[in-house]
Amino acid sequence: MTSASSPQTSTDTTATAPASQPPVTAPPAAEARPVAREHHGHTFTDDFDWLRDKESDEVIAHLQAENAHTDAVTADQEPLRQAIFGEIKAHTVETDLSVPSRRDGWWYFSRTEEGQQYTVQCRVKASDTGDRQADWTPPVIEPGVAVEGEQVILDGNAEAEGQPFFSLGGLAVSRDARLLAYAVDHAGDERFTLRIRDLTTGEELADEIPNVSYGIAFDATGTRVFYTVPDDSWRPYRILAHTLGTSVEQDQLLFQEDDPGMWSGFGLSADRTELLISVGNSEVAETLAMDLPETAEAPLGELRMLVSRDLGLLHGVDPVTLDGQRHYVIVHNKDFTAEDEEHGPAPAPNNMVSLAARETVTDPRFWRTVVGHSETTKVDGAAVTATHLALEVRRETTPRTVVLPLTGLATEHQADPVEPDFGEELYSCELAGAPFESPFLRLAYSSWITPSQVLDFDVASGELHQRRQVEVPGHDPDQYLVERWWAPADSSQMAGAGGRPVAIPLTVIRRRDTEWDGTNPCVVYGYGSYEMSMDPALSVARLSLLDRGVVYVVAHVRGGGELGRGWYDDGKKLAKKNSFTDFVDATRFMAQSGWVDPDRIAAMGGSAGGLLMGGVLNLAPELYRACVAQVPFVDTLTSILDPDLPLSALEWEEWGNPIEDPEVYRYMQEYTPYENVRAVDYPAVAAVTSLHDTRVLYVEPAKWVQQLRRTVTSDQSRALADGGAPIVLKTEMDGGHGGASGRYRAWEDRAWDYAFLLTALGATELL
């Protein structure tokens, strides 16, 4: 196979010195235009703040020059990129479909066709024979073969034609199956336009609502559509109801949240009789409800408080009817059964589950416990059907699903939870759908090396029905090995619960034929923010790393949610540095493991994981040969100090508020990557971003790259394949936070990232 440098084989894992590459041409140098930022007696001079004006022709020209420089510097990697793209393509069934999901009288599914970038949304009529098992068993539909009566309701390829970008922000069908509501983004800035289509004629209705956020839903009558509007900082804050055939100016405002630190959203109850409005952030939430009318003539009900923010709870609410009476299942993080006058309710950081009657739901003294708090298992959420309650839980780092019947719930007759059994140790089993009337729960099962499966769990018998296993041509799971390692957090600024030493969970993935000889290349990946967990899932693209001898490590650092709420709390706000030191300690642990070559380790992370990359490089740049930072949040303090930037006020719950709190300012100033670049050797760095990203602005990596180039002492004059450490910026000019749209473009992006790392590691040939 053609590659960008010398061969790497399983019998000789020492990289052969590549042929000398021509010197790297001088990169674009942005002019220094100092701007002073003063807070809490500290002044920071920012020479490159002018790059944030993306309406400026000068800024666009600079970004284009950076792209041209990056293309030139990495041109020798093009054969490897093509090879990796081909491997991803070869491992992917390009003509494929999803497992049909039933909604009312139809089965809905999506098709992907070879050569097409986007999915096609389809449906086919369902049968009602009276046999619930048969009626809820999805039809067998073949890839590339249309079935009798199949209808295309939305073709993403047609919607994207002639557009630089395409993304859906929501899709909903009216209960009578006649109307489709969908929200589309053609810029990548996550501001969508809501449109309505008549599925009986294919015509678009005159109703069109610009500037909406994610999530749309019809009421039961199909005459109203609910949607959310973002404010100028992209925070969803208004929830409205649009009556079809009327002007947008007449839309009814249902709720408005004026606190800039709170996010709003909505959903329908499982039986679709109530609208639930959720408000909150990472530390407190509020839930309100509205009864939905059954006729178009009847007005919407009044909003009712269910769980007030005054209780200081993080929680989720699911309505359920038991013995003819309305109740609410509440997943929450305080134990009111252990409340006392002096200290109030006891903390339940891993959440517990309670049941509340409609009449007394606002008073937690009347809540009845369904599942108590556990130190080892975290309850992440719930879903209800007509007969059962499903709980999404996390135990030993991995997500699982447990189920119990509604009969006897929160009484002495409550049944024990049942959990589907699987053969692997490190896996993910998550809810993928819980249709209210169905006898099945739809589950998504995956592991690090096993192709994902779609399963229907029979809640009555406990039997699992495999509806689909994703086909990955040419992939043999038995060729790979996954292990859980634990790295000591030697650099931690705090001990764990009870003062115990902290151990960082690592997922270590490699080929079985990898030898324990200390010569293998290694890629360490991390995220570590917002309580998001890096859960088991097979990545087809990752196979291109493993098949070149890379030992791939996921460092589950603090700030994520893998080990419960405490693991998150120990990596946020004034404990954020733990995320960085955990990643460094994990890298050192791997370097000393005897499995990898300490001189052939690379790092990778995106978004808040890009902040992790910037922080880690400032702490211990000598540990890494290369780093890919995807949409990296590296000018953290500047962004959080500006409440007018997208979502900044919401971020105060994650990082603290440096505007009001001098201690938070000082702490963030100590770790924010852009302000802490050191004059020492750094590894090769690729910063990848998108011009229209509203979550992490392109200006952050653009400034960071300039600061790196003028500060670090590493050799930027030689090509990557020649042992140099170039620093490059790659900007997708038509993309958003997730990069360019379309599956082939996504494959190209991942091939680019991996080719950069593999070239640096001298691991370009398949074993």
Side-chain angles (χ1 to χ4, degrees):
M1 181 173 290
T2 304
S3 70
S5 73
S6 56
Q8 181 79 22
T9 68
S10 59
T11 55
D12 179 9
T13 53
T14 303
T16 306
S20 180
Q21 303 290 324
V24 173
T25 56
E31 181 182 348
R33 302 175 186 174
V35 174
R37 186 194 72 207
E38 297 184 10
H39 283 84
H40 305 296
H42 175 264
T43 300
F44 172 71
T45 301
D46 189 344
D47 286 342
F48 305 114
D49 189 69
W50 65 272
L51 290 173
R52 73 175 54 256
D53 182 9
K54 75 174 184 179
E55 303 302 321
S56 163
D57 292 341
E58 186 180 15
V59 171
I60 295 300
H62 173 77
L63 296 177
Q64 291 170 336
E66 287 278 19
N67 280 346
H69 172 72
T70 298
D71 289 344
V73 168
T74 64
D76 61 309
Q77 298 167 29
E78 180 59 22
L80 180 55
R81 291 195 288 261
Q82 292 293 332
I84 295 172
F85 180 89
E87 291 158 20
I88 297 172
K89 195 171 187 289
H91 284 310
T92 304
V93 176
E94 294 186 69
T95 299
D96 204 2
L97 48 80
S98 65
V99 176
S101 297
R102 181 162 177 169
R103 187 77 165 174
D104 299 315
W106 294 79
W107 289 102
Y108 292 88
F109 59 98
S110 61
R111 291 187 181 273
T112 55
E113 301 290 340
E114 183 175 358
Q116 294 187 340
Q117 293 271 21
Y118 304 97
T119 59
V120 180
Q121 306 294 331
C122 306
R123 69 178 181 180
V124 66
K125 261 288 191 182
S127 299
D128 287 305
T129 65
D131 182 339
R132 295 181 70 241
Q133 293 277 335
D135 291 344
W136 284 91
T137 297
V140 177
I141 300 175
E142 298 180 15
V145 180
V147 298
E148 184 178 356
E150 180 178 330
Q151 298 179 8
V152 173
I153 63 173
L154 189 135
D155 184 344
N157 303 286
E159 300 296 327
E161 189 172 349
Q163 302 290 343
F165 185 90
F166 170 73
S167 176
L168 283 175
L171 200 70
V173 178
S174 60
R175 183 171 286 191
D176 63 7
R178 188 176 66 85
L179 298 175
L180 171 73
Y182 65 102
V184 63
D185 170 18
H186 286 310
D189 62 1
E190 299 181 80
R191 289 183 182 266
F192 300 88
T193 298
L194 173 59
R195 298 186 176 121
I196 310 293
R197 177 173 298 171
D198 188 329
L199 294 177
T200 62
T201 65
E203 296 179 359
E204 301 289 320
L205 302 189
D207 305 77
E208 184 172 294
I209 306 173
N211 193 38
V212 306
S213 190
Y214 291 97
I216 49 180
F218 281 102
D219 72 349
T221 71
T223 62
R224 301 182 186 93
V225 178
F226 303 111
Y227 65 95
T228 306
V229 171
D231 63 13
D232 291 339
S233 67
W234 268 261
R235 175 184 67 99
Y237 81 117
R238 305 180 84 209
I239 298 170
L240 297 97
H242 173 72
T243 300
L244 300 186
T246 65
S247 68
V248 176
E249 290 74 19
Q250 295 175 275
D251 288 358
Q252 181 180 352
L253 177 64
L254 305 180
F255 178 83
Q256 178 169 314
E257 176 54 53
D258 293 323
D259 184 339
M262 302 286 273
W263 186 296
S264 302
F266 70 88
L268 300 181
S269 61
D271 59 9
R272 292 181 279 182
T273 64
E274 288 185 73
L275 178 76
L276 299 177
I277 293 178
S278 302
V279 191
N281 52 40
S282 65
E283 298 189 343
V284 66
E286 182 169 272
T287 303
L288 305 96
M290 172 187 292
D291 295 324
L292 295 177
E294 297 181 1
T295 65
E297 295 74 24
L300 294 172
E302 296 294 324
L303 274 179
R304 296 176 285 107
M305 182 64 67
L306 296 183
V307 182
S308 170
R309 69 188 73 184
D310 294 339
L311 293 173
L313 287 178
L314 277 174
H315 67 273
V317 177
D318 287 272
V320 61
T321 299
L322 300 174
D323 299 324
Q325 302 296 316
R326 199 64 163 175
H327 289 75
Y328 297 94
V329 173
I330 306 171
V331 178
H332 57 100
N333 68 337
K334 291 183 180 179
D335 187 355
F336 290 92
T337 65
E339 185 171 11
D340 61 59
E341 292 184 3
E342 182 179 357
H343 300 101
N350 282 340
N351 292 336
M352 55 189 297
V353 184
S354 296
L355 184 69
R358 174 168 175 151
E359 294 76 16
T360 56
V361 63
T362 58
D363 189 343
R365 293 176 300 174
F366 294 98
W367 295 359
R368 293 177 287 154
T369 299
V370 176
V371 175
H373 180 259
S374 168
E375 296 291 339
T376 58
T377 300
K378 183 172 185 290
V379 182
D380 285 328
V384 297
T385 70
T387 59
H388 283 74
L389 168 66
L391 300 176
E392 294 183 296
V393 304
R394 183 174 298 276
R395 188 184 310 120
E396 297 171 348
T397 78
T398 59
R400 304 156 187 251
T401 301
V402 299
V403 184
L404 62 164
L406 295 178
T407 303
L409 199 66
T411 72
E412 66 273 17
H413 303 295
Q414 177 176 303
D416 293 330
V418 174
E419 179 179 347
D421 184 34
F422 303 100
E424 294 181 272
E425 176 189 4
L426 300 178
Y427 67 86
S428 172
C429 175
E430 298 180 288
L431 277 173
F436 185 69
E437 307 90 347
S438 176
F440 303 118
L441 285 175
R442 178 68 53 86
L443 304 176
Y445 175 86
S446 59
S447 84
W448 296 105
I449 58 175
T450 304
S452 62
Q453 300 174 25
V454 177
L455 306 167
D456 276 347
F457 180 67
D458 188 325
V459 294
S461 67
E463 185 179 359
L464 281 170
H465 301 272
Q466 186 183 102
R467 304 304 188 195
R468 180 176 188 258
Q469 177 160 342
V470 172
E471 183 182 354
V472 182
H475 171 59
D476 179 4
D478 291 337
Q479 290 185 342
Y480 306 91
L481 185 67
V482 182
E483 293 179 327
R484 169 55 42 80
W485 294 4
W486 296 86
D490 294 332
S491 305
S492 175
Q493 69 178 64
M494 62 175 64
R500 295 189 299 271
V502 173
I504 309 152
L506 310 180
T507 298
V508 182
I509 314 169
R510 64 184 187 275
R511 283 175 59 112
R512 284 188 181 273
D513 55 8
T514 301
E515 297 185 11
W516 188 13
D517 58 8
T519 67
N520 301 296
C522 177
V523 171
V524 187
Y525 177 86
Y527 186 78
S529 292
Y530 302 107
E531 203 176 358
M532 290 182 62
S533 301
M534 301 296 100
D535 290 330
L538 172 67
S539 165
V540 165
R542 191 191 302 129
L543 298 177
S544 292
L545 296 179
L546 300 175
D547 289 344
R548 287 172 172 81
V550 169
V551 176
Y552 190 91
V553 180
V554 181
H556 302 280
V557 301
R558 278 174 286 183
E562 285 88 346
L563 294 178
R565 180 73 184 192
W567 196 248
Y568 168 53
D569 288 337
D570 281 354
K572 66 181 292 194
K573 290 190 173 179
L574 295 178
K576 186 62 207 170
K577 292 178 186 177
N578 283 335
S579 301
F580 310 139
T581 57
D582 281 1
F583 194 92
V584 168
D585 288 340
T587 303
R588 290 195 173 114
F589 185 77
M590 292 305 304
Q592 298 164 8
S593 68
W595 279 99
V596 305
D597 182 346
D599 295 326
R600 301 176 71 201
I601 300 176
M604 186 174 183
S607 193
L611 162 64
L612 178 66
M613 295 299 99
V616 162
L617 294 187
N618 289 342
L619 276 178
E622 72 280 359
L623 293 179
Y624 305 98
R625 175 68 188 91
C627 173
V628 170
Q630 302 159 312
V631 290
F633 187 35
V634 284
D635 192 19
T636 322
L637 186 52
T638 300
S639 293
I640 301 302
L641 284 167
D642 187 349
D644 295 327
L645 287 180
L647 307 179
S648 281
L650 289 165
E651 297 290 336
W652 295 336
E653 302 303 326
E654 180 72 17
W655 317 100
N657 185 346
I659 300 174
E660 303 292 339
D661 190 331
E663 184 181 10
V664 170
Y665 178 91
R666 176 198 58 78
Y667 187 81
M668 293 188 70
Q669 198 277 326
E670 290 174 354
Y671 73 71
T672 191
Y674 178 56
E675 300 181 30
N676 290 280
V677 176
R678 298 192 285 135
V680 297
D681 284 357
Y682 275 53
V685 175
V688 181
T689 188
S690 294
L691 181 63
H692 300 297
D693 190 344
T694 59
R695 296 173 184 262
V696 178
L697 301 185
Y698 73 90
V699 68
E700 297 200 26
K703 291 165 55 176
W704 181 53
V705 162
Q706 292 295 316
Q707 186 68 11
L708 285 168
R709 286 186 186 142
R710 74 174 184 175
T711 306
V712 303
T713 59
S714 41
D715 183 0
Q716 302 174 51
S717 65
R718 288 185 296 153
L720 189 61
D722 201 25
I727 297 169
V728 299
L729 174 69
K730 176 174 174 278
T731 303
E732 172 57 58
M733 304 302 284
D734 293 316
H737 192 60
S741 62
R743 58 175 175 164
Y744 295 114
R745 294 286 299 277
W747 296 354
E748 291 170 354
D749 288 347
R750 188 48 47 89
W752 195 98
D753 297 343
Y754 284 178
F756 187 89
L757 295 179
L758 290 167
T759 300
L761 296 175
T764 60
E765 287 290 338
L766 291 167
L767 297 181

